Amino acid sequence: MTNNKFRTRIIYIVVIIALLVPLFLLGKPASVQKGDEGQVQLRGGILAGIREKENITDAQLGEIDPASSTMKLATFGMRGVALVLLWHKSLDYEKKSDWNNVVVTSKQITMLEPRFTTVWDFLGWRLAYNASRDQDDYRERYRWVIRGYEFLEDGIHYNMLAPFLYHKAGWTISQKIGISDEKVQYRQLFWQDDEFHGAPHIPYPNGTPEIANRDNWLYGIPLYEHSEEIFSKVEDDFVTRRAEGLVTDDQVKDYYNSDNKKWSIGNMARPLFYAHSRMNHIHYADWYEQDGSFGEKAKENWRKAQTIWDSFGDKRISTTIDDRRNPDQKRVIYLKAAAETQAKIDQLNEELVSLLAPRTKRDLYVERWNLLTDLQQGALVTAVKKYNVEHYVAIREYLDETQPDWEEKLTELRNSLIEDPEELAAYLIPEPIRKGMRGMEQSDERDEVNMAQKAGRALEEVVNQASSALALTPTAIAGEIGSWETRQREDYEEYQEKLAENPELADDPDFPKVEPPTRNAPRAREIVQELDDENYHHQLPGMFCELTNYVHYGQEIDVEQTSEAVSANEAKYWARRAFNEDGNIFLANEKYLESMRIWSELLDNPRYEYLNNDLFRRDFVDFVDKYRHVTDRLDDSERGTLYPVDFPFAKIVRLELENGMINPLRDSLVYLRHRHENGDYDEIVDRSVLLLKAWNGTMQGYEYLKYVPVPEYKDEVAEVFALYVDSLQKTERQFASDVPLLEFISTVMYYEPITREALRKTEQINLAEESETLLDKLADAALDWSLVVAQYPILKLPADAYIDQTNLFSTSYLRTCHDQITTIIALYVDTCKKLNRPVTTDFPLHELLPAGVTAAVDPATVVQATVAPIDPTAVDSATDAEPVQEDAVPADSQ
């Protein structure tokens, strides 16, 4: 018995010793040993190695509250249940906007999943974006943005080798503060946040006491750069091991499908990942000027941004895209390669075209056009008229030279493709009107839309066939060169045979000489192959250049360094400050126009032709939209007109809008003119309202159109109204209650030069003058008002026919003009009555005479006539609507 007990104890001791060995190997701590050669770092056990690899510090161990309910569930093996419960609680708190409890539950979630980077990212985003949005005061919103950023910093504390979290932290501090609606206030609060900047943070462990270092764009740069450093180290290590054959195919697949791994950057494209830190330098240079600092320092910031952006173009960037020419490799790109390969492509295309000589590409387009059937040519009439694509431009020029009436002929051919007359009529309705008809309840309107769509589908097939036949690829050009040389060779062989049979023909001046065939076909085929190679090398960097706006930012940096751009930005800054802070609208107007004039000069400079492209144009259009707020506040004496006659950005507005809805709207106006000429007045009444609604939709999308920076747009809308009013009078229908743009017409009419002149003359009328003089001045003012009525015939209608009594402000200018016209007529009739004269047809406003007043047909033959009884109600109401002082007729300016 005793021996058995002793044996059992020995076994226990041996087992314990055997277990201590692996425990020692697992848990041995890292240490430093001092020796003769100095200090030596001892690696320690396996767990110490894992902690070092994962960058887990001793301070991070044991941070979970052991008394929390979360830990109670987790220690019973129910961590998954705990996470689900916490997520539901967190979402429920968010619905209630109980953000403090969202923070508490979020911290508990991250205690259970501290290594899951996506959790930190998502929860940080909820605080910085969702929580801040729910606050009323911008200071409190800013505080939640900072809490979201600090939450991401906590995540980095647990995941110091996760580039994704560094990048998200850099994004939050840069973008959320720098581009939100409250960006001006946020940036100022960030500068002044001594508590935040005095505490240690990841990019600045000792704090950032210098105010100059507190710019949010500069603050985010080291976060981005550290993210890049971590990711590049992993990437370079993987590429090296793969090149040495130390990586299996499965490991390759695992590496490139690793969105959830700690070192991953998620599904972000690598060029965009590397672009953000460089873009922050550009944003800083931009905001340096927006904050009111200019001069040489501003240029220096842009020069630094250019150096950094240029080096970005030279950066070697690995991608996750397979290299189809090297199946075992991934593509590696340089953004600058896009410009280099594009230059090579352009050079090769020019060489290929030169091999066509003596023919040109235009000759080929014309040949292909003439091979199309008549119906195919007709189907392309719209494309040839409107599109500025190379082959359509060539064909348009050819047709202009050879067939002046080609538009009418091709339109007839196109229309002949639609056999059903009703479908044709429906198809010819322009799209803006047709779009309005889709929402109408009448079944016949919907039927017209359906018929138009059916006709459009039938035409589309023919258009696609014809477009394909016109396409001219490099391969097609090379084929044309080969075919041309074959014909040349045949002609030359025939020529040589004739000379061999009859040698004296060589001296015959009437015998046509044939040159030997060119030998360009082999080179053309080589060029096609070279183009294929260059296009392959260009495609990927070109795509990523578009993704990062690499070319656009380079162009922006280029122009912003000029003295002109700095001056323009300075003028814009003072304009914005005069408007927002000082309330000096006159100075704001002057400075905005000064800035726009400088930019217009740069726009016209061939060196900066790129300023006219889409991205820059939208920035300038945004400029126009901000200037609109100034025009809103200008009074009549400061404004005079809605926009200056020589408005500097009129060209920009034209370019922007004529790429959008303006051209279809103009086509619709042409359509209404034709219908009006044909006497389809009922149709005009309905469809002009639809067109006005389409115009209204465009103006809502481009609010600066409210004050018409481009005069022709105002004239076109006014013409639609004129067609509508004329058709109303001819059909005796009522003014529709849902006609839009009355306020627009009211405003632009009031500020028309002819209206302003009419108002001026009306104000200068003095009732104390002699009747003859008064009559002449009334007639002169009436002449000016007749010009206004001719352009805006809505004034012919009774005021209560179109003025909304519940919203008189929107049409106050219309009412003002209407009342002034009524007053002029009443005074003129009353003065004629005093002089015992008839109102004759030479009175400019005779069409608007009140009921009971007639005009003599021929004033030259009338010596003395009795004036028909004046309708006292009409005259009195007109006079009462505009009280007259003894010395003048006042004009209601608003």
Side-chain angles (χ1 to χ4, degrees):
M1 183 71 177
T2 303
N3 289 336
N4 289 338
K5 289 182 178 179
F6 179 75
R7 188 183 302 113
T8 301
R9 289 172 183 171
I10 294 299
I11 292 171
Y12 284 161
I13 291 171
V14 171
V15 170
I16 289 171
I17 293 172
L19 290 174
L20 285 173
V21 172
L23 287 174
F24 174 77
L25 295 175
L26 284 170
K28 180 184 177 183
S31 61
V32 178
Q33 185 182 56
K34 294 183 178 180
D36 297 336
E37 298 179 0
Q39 294 183 346
V40 178
Q41 178 74 36
L42 299 180
R43 183 177 181 85
I46 294 174
L47 291 177
I50 292 174
R51 284 199 297 270
E52 180 182 355
K53 181 180 178 182
E54 300 292 336
N55 205 16
I56 300 174
T57 65
D58 290 338
Q60 294 172 354
L61 303 177
E63 288 188 352
I64 299 178
D65 180 7
S68 67
S69 58
T70 301
M71 267 305 289
K72 291 176 183 177
L73 285 170
T75 52
F76 282 100
M78 300 178 67
R79 188 177 66 164
V81 175
L83 283 170
V84 171
L85 292 175
L86 288 170
W87 272 111
H88 280 288
K89 286 177 66 176
S90 176
L91 293 172
D92 186 54
Y93 286 137
E94 183 173 355
K95 290 177 183 177
K96 298 174 182 177
S97 294
D98 186 355
W99 291 104
N100 288 318
N101 273 318
V102 169
V103 172
V104 173
T105 52
S106 296
K107 287 184 175 179
Q108 290 178 336
I109 291 170
T110 54
M111 285 179 183
L112 290 174
E113 288 287 357
R115 304 293 172 189
F116 193 16
T117 57
T118 306
V119 173
W120 291 101
D121 170 40
F122 179 68
L123 294 175
W125 173 78
R126 289 168 74 189
L127 299 181
Y129 285 81
N130 292 2
S132 65
R133 182 191 59 198
D134 278 355
Q135 311 308 312
D136 294 329
D137 187 85
Y138 73 86
R139 298 173 187 83
E140 193 62 23
R141 289 198 290 274
Y142 165 78
R143 183 51 50 197
W144 278 100
V145 172
I146 295 300
R147 292 188 75 172
Y149 168 75
E150 291 175 337
F151 195 86
L152 288 168
E153 275 200 327
D154 290 341
I156 292 172
H157 180 62
Y158 286 100
N159 302 273
M160 300 194 75
L161 296 179
F164 185 68
L165 286 181
Y166 285 95
H167 193 277
K168 285 296 183 178
W171 174 271
T172 300
I173 208 71
S174 300
Q175 299 285 328
K176 181 58 182 174
I177 290 180
I179 66 172
S180 62
D181 292 340
E182 308 90 344
K183 51 186 174 287
V184 174
Q185 294 87 349
Y186 280 2
R187 281 172 53 79
Q188 178 133 14
L189 288 172
F190 190 69
W191 285 334
Q192 298 169 352
D193 197 341
D194 295 333
E195 180 183 354
F196 176 85
H197 291 290
H201 291 282
I202 288 170
Y204 301 100
N206 298 320
T208 54
E210 293 296 331
I211 194 90
N213 296 329
R214 296 184 179 190
D215 186 275
N216 64 296
W217 298 111
L218 295 180
Y219 197 94
I221 290 173
L223 288 163
Y224 283 137
E225 289 178 341
H226 196 61
S227 173
E228 295 170 18
E229 181 183 344
I230 296 171
F231 181 73
S232 296
K233 183 177 180 181
V234 175
E235 181 95 350
D236 293 343
D237 179 62
F238 174 80
V239 171
T240 301
R241 288 188 298 112
R242 188 179 182 189
E244 294 173 353
L246 302 177
V247 179
T248 66
D249 291 342
D250 288 339
Q251 288 174 323
V252 172
K253 291 179 182 178
D254 182 59
Y255 179 85
Y256 287 110
N257 294 284
S258 55
D259 289 349
N260 293 322
K261 293 195 175 177
K262 63 180 182 304
W263 49 262
S264 167
I265 57 172
N267 58 4
M268 191 184 314
R270 282 165 165 76
L272 192 59
F273 170 73
Y274 287 113
H276 285 138
S277 64
R278 283 82 178 173
M279 290 166 63
N280 268 29
H281 287 280
I282 298 173
H283 293 314
Y284 171 69
D286 182 24
W287 272 96
Y288 183 83
E289 293 182 312
Q290 290 194 47
D291 291 333
S293 300
F294 303 95
E296 195 58 34
K297 176 62 176 174
K299 295 180 185 179
E300 181 183 335
N301 289 334
W302 284 110
R303 285 193 291 269
K304 181 177 179 181
Q306 181 169 40
T307 301
I308 291 170
W309 197 246
D310 287 343
S311 66
F312 177 46
D314 292 323
K315 182 176 177 58
R316 179 185 185 276
I317 301 176
S318 299
T319 73
T320 60
I321 299 171
D322 293 330
D323 188 341
R324 72 168 187 258
R325 299 188 177 182
N326 297 288
D328 295 334
Q329 301 296 323
K330 300 292 183 179
R331 295 285 300 275
V332 176
I333 66 164
Y334 302 85
L335 293 179
K336 275 190 178 178
E340 296 167 1
T341 52
Q342 185 60 57
K344 183 65 174 175
I345 288 169
D346 293 341
Q347 179 184 346
L348 289 170
N349 276 318
E350 288 178 10
E351 183 182 354
L352 182 62
V353 171
S354 71
L355 298 180
L356 278 168
R359 295 188 300 166
T360 64
K361 284 184 78 173
R362 174 180 162 169
D363 295 332
L364 296 186
Y365 287 134
V366 171
E367 287 175 15
R368 289 175 175 242
W369 171 259
N370 288 327
L371 289 174
L372 297 178
T373 66
D374 289 347
L375 294 180
Q376 286 176 325
Q377 291 181 353
L380 291 176
V381 60
T382 301
V384 174
K385 282 196 301 184
K386 295 184 177 179
Y387 299 156
N388 289 323
V389 183
E390 182 183 40
H391 52 282
Y392 290 134
V393 171
I395 293 166
R396 185 161 63 238
E397 291 174 351
Y398 163 71
L399 292 174
D400 285 339
E401 294 169 4
T402 59
Q403 303 176 38
D405 58 345
W406 63 270
E407 288 189 40
E408 293 78 7
K409 290 181 178 179
L410 292 184
T411 301
E412 289 178 9
L413 288 169
R414 183 210 49 202
N415 294 347
S416 67
L417 283 166
I418 306 173
E419 298 179 357
D420 188 323
E422 292 184 352
E423 288 183 9
L424 175 60
Y427 177 79
L428 293 178
I429 299 173
E431 180 58 26
I433 296 177
R434 201 188 305 160
K435 186 176 181 180
M437 292 167 62
R438 293 191 186 107
M440 299 180 70
E441 297 181 358
Q442 296 90 334
S443 59
D444 55 340
E445 301 287 358
R446 291 200 303 271
D447 288 344
E448 278 192 283
V449 172
N450 293 334
M451 287 189 291
Q453 291 174 341
K454 182 179 177 181
R457 286 192 295 270
L459 277 176
E460 188 176 356
E461 292 184 22
V462 184
V463 169
N464 291 337
Q465 294 171 359
S467 298
S468 299
L470 285 175
L472 198 58
T473 63
T475 303
I477 294 175
E480 289 285 348
I481 292 171
S483 300
W484 175 256
E485 289 188 355
T486 299
R487 292 194 297 272
Q488 282 184 314
R489 190 177 301 108
E490 292 171 353
D491 293 342
Y492 187 70
E493 288 173 355
E494 182 181 353
Y495 170 74
Q496 291 293 340
E497 289 174 2
K498 290 181 179 179
L499 284 180
E501 294 173 359
N502 195 355
E504 60 272 13
L505 289 175
D507 300 324
D508 187 351
D510 296 328
F511 182 66
K513 304 294 186 295
V514 177
E515 298 295 330
T518 57
R519 298 184 179 274
N520 294 331
R523 176 55 187 155
R525 289 190 290 270
E526 289 177 4
I527 290 175
V528 170
Q529 184 59 49
E530 290 177 24
L531 280 170
D532 183 58
D533 292 339
E534 292 297 332
N535 279 315
Y536 176 73
H537 292 302
H538 172 77
Q539 183 182 23
L540 196 58
M543 179 182 73
F544 284 125
C545 276
E546 291 184 11
L547 179 68
T548 59
N549 281 332
Y550 177 76
V551 175
H552 170 71
Y553 281 120
Q555 292 170 340
E556 180 183 0
I557 294 168
D558 177 41
V559 72
E560 290 286 0
Q561 294 179 63
T562 64
S563 299
E564 294 87 347
V566 172
S567 298
N569 292 335
E570 186 172 5
K572 183 180 179 181
Y573 168 79
W574 288 112
R576 195 169 63 241
R577 181 166 177 174
F579 181 81
N580 294 327
E581 298 179 20
D582 304 333
N584 189 336
I585 306 305
F586 182 75
L587 179 61
N589 180 60
E590 177 186 333
K591 288 296 182 180
Y592 266 124
L593 290 175
E594 178 187 343
S595 179
M596 283 188 275
R597 277 192 290 270
I598 296 172
W599 277 117
S600 293
E601 292 173 3
L602 286 169
L603 282 161
D604 294 334
N605 186 335
R607 166 73 175 79
Y608 305 107
E609 185 179 1
Y610 54 73
L611 288 173
N612 291 286
N613 70 27
D614 290 349
L615 290 173
F616 281 108
R617 189 167 65 242
R618 286 167 196 154
D619 288 340
F620 292 134
V621 166
D622 181 65
F623 199 158
V624 177
D625 195 46
K626 287 181 171 57
Y627 176 65
R628 173 180 62 88
H629 297 291
V630 175
T631 62
D632 267 334
R633 298 273 296 277
L634 287 172
D635 60 35
D636 292 350
S637 62
E638 293 168 332
R639 173 159 48 188
T641 58
L642 290 173
Y643 271 79
V645 176
D646 57 345
F647 182 60
F649 276 3
K651 173 185 174 183
I652 288 292
V653 175
R654 286 189 182 95
L655 287 172
E656 176 69 9
L657 295 183
E658 289 178 8
N659 287 336
M661 280 294 295
I662 293 297
N663 286 328
L665 293 171
R666 287 175 165 173
D667 292 342
S668 301
L669 176 56
V670 173
Y671 170 82
L672 290 182
R673 286 176 189 153
H674 292 326
R675 308 310 296 172
H676 189 267
E677 291 169 2
N678 294 337
D680 301 323
Y681 302 120
D682 275 307
E683 181 181 326
I684 294 295
V685 170
D686 296 328
R687 295 186 178 174
S688 56
V689 172
L690 295 177
L691 180 53
L692 289 170
K693 289 179 178 178
W695 261 108
N696 187 48
T698 299
M699 290 185 178
Q700 288 177 349
Y702 304 96
E703 292 187 18
Y704 52 83
L705 281 178
K706 173 183 178 183
Y707 290 137
V708 203
V710 183
E712 58 264 32
Y713 299 159
K714 171 259 302 178
D715 294 337
E716 288 159 8
V717 176
E719 185 177 353
V720 177
F721 256 99
L723 291 172
Y724 173 67
V725 170
D726 185 66
S727 300
L728 275 182
Q729 292 178 312
K730 288 184 167 62
T731 57
E732 298 184 355
R733 290 172 59 177
Q734 298 297 316
F735 196 92
S737 59
D738 61 343
V739 174
L741 297 181
L742 265 177
E743 182 178 356
F744 172 81
I745 285 294
S746 176
T747 303
V748 299
M749 179 201 64
Y750 185 78
Y751 284 100
E752 279 280 8
I754 55 174
T755 309
R756 307 301 294 173
E757 180 64 13
L759 287 168
R760 185 188 67 80
K761 289 184 177 179
T762 304
E763 291 172 354
Q764 292 178 349
I765 292 174
N766 187 345
L767 296 181
E769 293 180 320
E770 295 181 359
S771 297
E772 290 285 354
T773 303
L774 177 61
L775 196 65
D776 289 341
K777 289 191 174 181
L778 288 168
D780 188 31
L783 179 60
D784 282 40
W785 280 114
S786 70
L787 299 176
V788 177
V789 172
Q791 189 161 348
Y792 298 95
I794 191 172
L795 292 170
K796 294 180 181 180
L797 301 177
D800 57 2
Y802 58 85
I803 290 181
D804 183 1
Q805 297 298 323
T806 63
N807 185 16
L808 294 177
F809 177 77
S810 65
T811 52
S812 60
Y813 294 147
L814 268 170
R815 176 173 285 280
T816 295
C817 295
H818 201 283
D819 290 348
Q820 296 285 42
I821 291 171
T822 304
T823 300
I824 289 292
I825 292 174
L827 290 173
Y828 188 86
V829 171
D830 188 54
T831 305
C832 284
K833 181 179 179 182
K834 289 179 180 177
L835 294 172
N836 199 24
R837 292 182 183 177
V839 179
T840 58
T841 54
D842 63 345
F843 177 56
L845 297 173
H846 70 272
E847 288 183 315
L848 302 181
L849 290 173
V853 178
T854 58
V857 177
D858 186 0
T861 60
V862 177
V863 178
Q864 184 169 351
T866 58
V867 178
I870 300 174
D871 181 350
T873 304
V875 176
D876 290 344
S877 64
T879 308
D880 291 341
E882 194 70 37
V884 179
Q885 298 177 358
E886 292 185 1
D887 57 344
V889 178
D892 184 4
S893 63
Q894 296 289 335

